[in-house]
Structure formats: structure tokens, C-alpha cells
């Protein structure tokens, strides 16, 4: 049911052992985790689930992100955090027992923690949403049902849209996947990848920008419709077909994404996806990139100098001066 490249990618992820992490040395207020949820499309190729954050959020509003958030307790593991947040944001059940019959979520591995500008240690957790029965079993659901039968509920307070993207394409310079490529608002073709070098972490840091086509919502994006009155989710077929959260669509319903033609995947989210794909497929990207994965060393240095403390100040962000001081430790 899976393509050979997908089988090999999952095997590499299962076998991956990350370096020692600073995540558990961070105070609770500085711990966060995201879920890289992979699933097979009808051709057996891996896709990844992404969200677009609601415009009303205080941080990173309107940006594309992986499902995830801050930890609730010191006993919560990164995967516990990522799975709980995915439940809150896109309705993915926290336990396999609550999944539709025939499905399970396999925890494949964790990647080195990344450093957010808000002084969070963000631990990426990779998981595989798959049929629970063996592929040879007559009871095993076909791959297409992975997209058809999973029905999360979007939380309109946190998530404006959920969409899926071809996982292997995060190693590619050009759009190579099935379906039309990205286009600009004027209808002209858009590049799949744009990148540039910038200064961050007291070193050269590659900023990745991917432009995921926003295809018909019935195919790959699930937008939250909004209008005065009870919040509600849009409809459509596929892995992320939302259930209504109250009220019915009527005249005046508005698409919060407007005339958006692409979802821009950039910053830490793009970097995490590139690193995860590097591990999974055992190959380097076609574009320039940072060779190291995560920011474990810098997180350790910041902790050593007393940064990333339990107390979180409003608007607090890392500066180049702080990072310079940490790099000299």
C-alpha cells in the first residue's frame, strides 16, 4: 500500500536517535512541542498536516504552523504535548482507542529541539497516521480512506485552515507533486521555493519559504467560515474534513482566507519540515540549508547564562546581543 520510498522513509524515522536534548532542562513555561503528522495519500506517498493560525491569536497570527503548543505539566512528554495540542487544534484524538476503527497513530521519533524567538524550546515529534491492520489483511482500509474517514474539528479560535502538503517536496527546489503548482494572486506561476541567508543565532541562518498551492477546499484545504453568531467550520472531503462546531452556513458567510492562492510555509516551521524530510529520505535538499538540525547547543548556552527562566515577560524576544553573549560561553 505504501510506495517503496515511503516504506524506507518511515523505517529511517523509526531508527533515528536524536542527540541528548535540553528540552527537559527547560522550565515548564519554556517547553513546547509540535506534531509532524504523516499519512499516505492514495498513491502511497507521504503527506504532512499543516495549519494556518487564526488571525486573532496574540503570537504568529495568520502564519502556517505545525499542530502544537506549550506543555501543561512537567510530567508531560513532548509527544504528549504535541498530541494534546493536535487534539485541541484539529480534533485528532489523544488515544488510538478514540480514532475511527482501523486506524492508529504511531510515534516514530523526536527531532532536536528548536529555539523560538519567544525563548521556547520546541521539540518536533514525528508520527504516522496509518491503518492499524496489516496491509495484506482484507480488513485493512484502503489508503484513500485515510483522507476520507478522519474527521477532525477545527477550533476557529486557534486555526483558520488545515491543509496537507507532500512531505518529500520539502527537499525539492521546484514543485514536483501531483496537481497544479502554486500561482500568484494575478494568476501567474509562483515559485514553490524561495530562500535567503540571514543572521540569526549568531551565525548564518537559511530562511526557507515554500508556497503550497491552495487548491479547491474540497481537495486539500479546510477553511473555517466565520460570520456573526456561532462559529462554524467549512465543509469538504478529505483527511481533514471538519465537523460543524455550531450553526449552519447561510448568507453572509465569509472565507477568512479571502483571495489567498498559496499558503506560505516559512521560518521555524519550514526549517523543521526540511530537517524531518532530510532524516526520512536520507538525502539533502536541492537548495542551500543549515547543516545542523535543531538548536540544542544554543538552548543549553541560554539556560547556562540564566535566560529562558520560568518567568515569562510579555513581548519578550531574543535579540542578537543576547545570542552573541550566549555564543561566547
Amino acid at each position: 500500500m505504501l510506495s517503496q520510498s515511503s516504506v524506507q522513509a518511515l523505517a529511517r524515522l523509526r531508527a533515528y536517535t536524536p542527540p541528548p536534548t535540553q528540552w527537559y532542562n527547560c522550565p515548564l513555561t519554556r517547553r513546547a512541542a509540535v506534531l509532524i503528522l504523516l499519512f499516505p495519500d492514495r498513491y502511497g506517498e507521504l503527506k504532512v498536516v499543516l495549519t494556518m493560525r487564526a488571525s486573532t491569536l496574540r503570537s504568529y497570527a495568520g502564519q502556517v504552523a505545525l499542530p502544537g503548543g506549550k506543555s501543561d505539566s512537567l510530567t508531560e512528554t513532548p509527544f504528549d504535548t504535541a498530541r494534546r495540542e493536535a487534539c485541541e487544534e484539529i480534533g485528532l484524538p489523544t488515544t488510538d482507542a478514540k480514532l475511527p476503527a482501523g486506524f492508529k497513530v504511531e510515534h516514530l521519533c523526536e527531532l532536536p529541539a528548536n529555539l523560538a524567538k519567544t525563548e521556547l524550546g520546541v521539540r518536533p515529534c514525528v508520527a504516522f497516521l496509518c491503518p492499524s491492520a496489516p496491509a495484506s489483511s482484507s480488513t485493512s482500509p484502503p489508503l484513500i480512506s485515510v483522507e476520507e474517514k478522519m474527521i477532525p474539528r477545527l477550533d476557529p479560535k486557534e486555526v483558520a485552515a488545515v491543509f496537507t502538503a507532500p512531505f518529500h517536496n520539502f527537499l525539492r527546489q521546484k514543485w514536483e507533486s501531483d496537481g497544479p503548482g502554486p500561482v500568484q494572486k494575478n494568476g501567474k506561476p509562483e515559485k514553490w521555493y524561495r530562500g535567503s541567508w540571514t543572521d540569526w543565532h549568531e551565525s548564518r541562518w537559511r530562511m526557507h519559504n515554500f508556497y503550497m498551492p491552495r487548491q479547491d477546499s474540497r481537495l486539500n484545504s479546510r477553511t473555517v467560515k466565520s460570520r456573526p453568531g456561532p462559529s462554524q467550520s467549512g465543509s469538504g472531503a478529505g483527511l481533514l474534513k471538519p465537523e460543524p462546531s455550531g450553526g449552519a452556513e447561510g448568507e453572509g458567510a465569509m472565507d477568512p482566507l479571502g483571495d489567498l492562492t498559496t499558503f506560505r510555509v516559512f521560518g521555524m516551521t519550514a526549517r523543521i519540515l526540511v530537517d524531518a524530510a532530510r532524516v526520512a529520505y536520507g538525502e539533502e535538499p536541492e537548495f542551500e540549508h543549515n547543516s545542523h538540525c535543531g538548536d540544542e547547543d544554543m538552548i543549553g548556552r541560554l539556560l547556562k547564562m540564566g535566560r529562558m527562566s520560568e518567568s515569562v515577560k510579555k513581548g519578550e524576544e531574543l535579540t542578537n546581543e543576547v545570542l552573541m553573549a550566549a555564543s561566547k560561553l
Side-chain angles (χ1 to χ4, degrees):
M1 296 178 71
L2 289 170
S3 70
Q4 189 61 32
S5 63
S6 295
V7 170
Q8 295 172 349
L10 294 173
R12 291 189 191 95
L13 289 167
R14 291 187 185 102
Y16 176 73
T17 301
T21 183
Q22 295 287 345
W23 194 86
Y24 291 98
N25 295 328
C26 295
L28 177 60
T29 55
R30 303 295 182 174
R31 296 184 185 183
V34 293
L35 185 66
I36 304 174
L37 183 63
L38 305 175
F39 71 96
D41 66 13
R42 69 182 67 196
Y43 306 109
E45 302 299 336
L46 296 178
K47 299 182 78 173
V48 61
V49 179
L50 291 161
T51 72
M52 181 173 172
R53 291 169 62 83
S55 60
T56 54
L57 294 176
R58 289 181 296 177
S59 60
Y60 305 109
Q63 295 186 12
V64 169
L66 291 156
K70 290 186 177 181
S71 296
D72 267 359
S73 70
L74 289 172
T75 58
E76 230 181 20
T77 67
F79 186 62
D80 291 337
T81 298
R83 190 87 185 255
R84 174 181 53 75
E85 287 287 333
C87 178
E88 294 175 6
E89 293 179 8
I90 62 172
L92 181 75
T94 55
T95 64
D96 288 353
K98 296 180 180 180
L99 287 169
F103 293 93
K104 68 176 182 179
V105 173
E106 179 187 357
H107 182 194
L108 299 174
C109 68
E110 295 176 9
L111 301 178
N114 284 253
L115 175 64
K117 285 186 177 181
T118 50
E119 296 194 44
L120 289 177
V122 182
R123 185 79 161 171
C125 301
V126 189
F128 180 48
L129 173 64
C130 59
S132 58
S136 59
S137 171
S138 61
T139 62
S140 178
L143 286 181
I144 185 61
S145 65
V146 176
E147 292 192 88
E148 288 180 342
K149 295 197 175 185
M150 295 303 299
I151 310 177
R153 299 177 304 277
L154 303 187
D155 181 354
K157 297 187 299 295
E158 296 190 36
V159 179
V162 176
F163 62 100
T164 62
F167 188 41
H168 190 248
N169 228 128
F170 288 101
L171 296 176
R172 293 290 178 255
Q173 183 87 31
K174 297 180 180 179
W175 176 254
E176 295 182 353
S177 299
D178 189 39
V183 295
Q184 301 175 30
K185 291 182 180 181
N186 60 11
K188 294 182 179 180
E190 173 64 275
K191 290 185 177 180
W192 157 251
Y193 176 80
R194 296 177 185 269
S196 61
W197 288 99
T198 185
D199 291 320
W200 172 241
H201 295 191
E202 270 312 292
S203 63
R204 298 296 287 165
W205 197 83
R206 184 70 174 180
M207 170 66 80
H208 303 297
N209 295 272
F210 298 97
Y211 295 89
M212 179 63 200
R214 183 193 171 190
Q215 299 170 4
D216 189 296
S217 62
R218 291 171 297 178
L219 298 178
N220 84 328
S221 69
R222 308 292 173 260
T223 61
V224 179
K225 301 285 186 179
S226 62
R227 64 183 179 94
S231 60
Q232 59 192 13
S233 295
S235 61
L239 166 72
L240 302 164
K241 181 174 64 178
E243 293 177 345
S245 58
E249 285 193 25
E251 292 184 1
M254 298 178 62
D255 182 350
L257 304 185
D259 60 351
L260 191 71
T261 58
T262 62
F263 292 105
R264 179 188 173 213
V265 185
F266 70 104
M268 186 172 64
T269 297
R271 181 191 181 198
I272 288 173
L273 288 169
V274 169
D275 286 342
R278 289 169 63 194
V279 172
Y281 293 100
E283 60 186 77
E284 294 302 303
E286 294 178 342
F287 41 80
E288 294 182 315
H289 64 285
N290 292 101
S291 59
H292 67 285
C293 182
D295 304 303
E296 295 287 1
D297 180 65
M298 181 56 74
I299 293 173
R301 291 171 181 270
L302 289 170
L303 289 169
K304 187 176 181 180
M305 69 179 291
R307 300 286 304 196
M308 302 183 71
S309 63
E310 183 75 33
S311 176
V312 178
K313 299 178 181 178
K314 185 177 180 180
E316 182 181 49
E317 285 194 358
L318 290 172
T319 64
N320 282 334
E321 289 74 21
V322 171
L323 294 170
M324 181 181 295
S327 67
K328 294 179 180 179
L329 292 180

